[in-house]
Amino acid sequence: MKHFPSLAAMNTEIEESEAMFTMKTARTYDHTKIVPAVAAFNRVLERAARAIIADLGETPDALKYLEEWKPATPTDTWFGPHPGKFIQHLLQTGQLHRGPLPDQSALH
């Protein structure tokens, strides 16, 4: 199991940022509201991505994750569609998965 102390130190900030993002984007399709909320959330998530890389050691293999996690559009978040779940899974299991997280219903 890998430990992520730099990421763990940011956990409260990530959770608060995710809560604000969810509150600002709930029940809206208005891009003038969504894009700024995503940008604010992504600033925190980008620092989280860099914390993960620092915890892994800044090897060329670890740095490849930054490209995978990087948002492709202004409405995408770092780490994909559920960044909070991704980060919580990483902190709880110490396992860094490539691609989507396993379906929790399949684990029961």
Side-chain angles (χ1 to χ4, degrees):
M1 180 172 158
K2 178 76 178 153
H3 295 282
F4 296 89
S6 299
L7 179 63
M10 292 186 63
N11 194 40
T12 301
E13 180 183 6
I14 294 165
E15 289 175 346
E16 289 172 354
S17 182
E18 182 176 34
M20 287 298 291
F21 167 75
T22 301
M23 187 174 66
K24 289 179 180 180
T25 60
R27 295 175 272 180
T28 186
Y29 294 100
D30 183 351
H31 273 52
T32 63
K33 293 180 182 178
I34 293 172
V35 171
V38 171
F41 190 27
N42 275 338
R43 283 191 289 277
V44 174
L45 293 175
E46 182 175 5
R47 288 192 303 105
R50 295 194 184 284
I52 293 168
I53 299 305
D55 289 339
L56 290 172
E58 293 192 28
T59 65
D61 286 339
L63 291 172
K64 289 179 186 176
Y65 284 115
L66 288 177
E67 281 305 311
E68 290 179 24
W69 296 332
K70 190 175 183 178
T73 71
T75 57
D76 290 339
T77 57
W78 279 82
F79 308 111
H82 303 287
K85 288 181 182 179
F86 176 87
I87 290 169
Q88 290 308 310
H89 176 79
L90 182 60
L91 290 173
Q92 290 170 1
T93 67
Q95 297 176 350
L96 188 60
H97 292 279
R98 294 181 93 97
L101 294 176
D103 182 355
Q104 295 297 314
S105 64
L107 301 176
H108 291 95

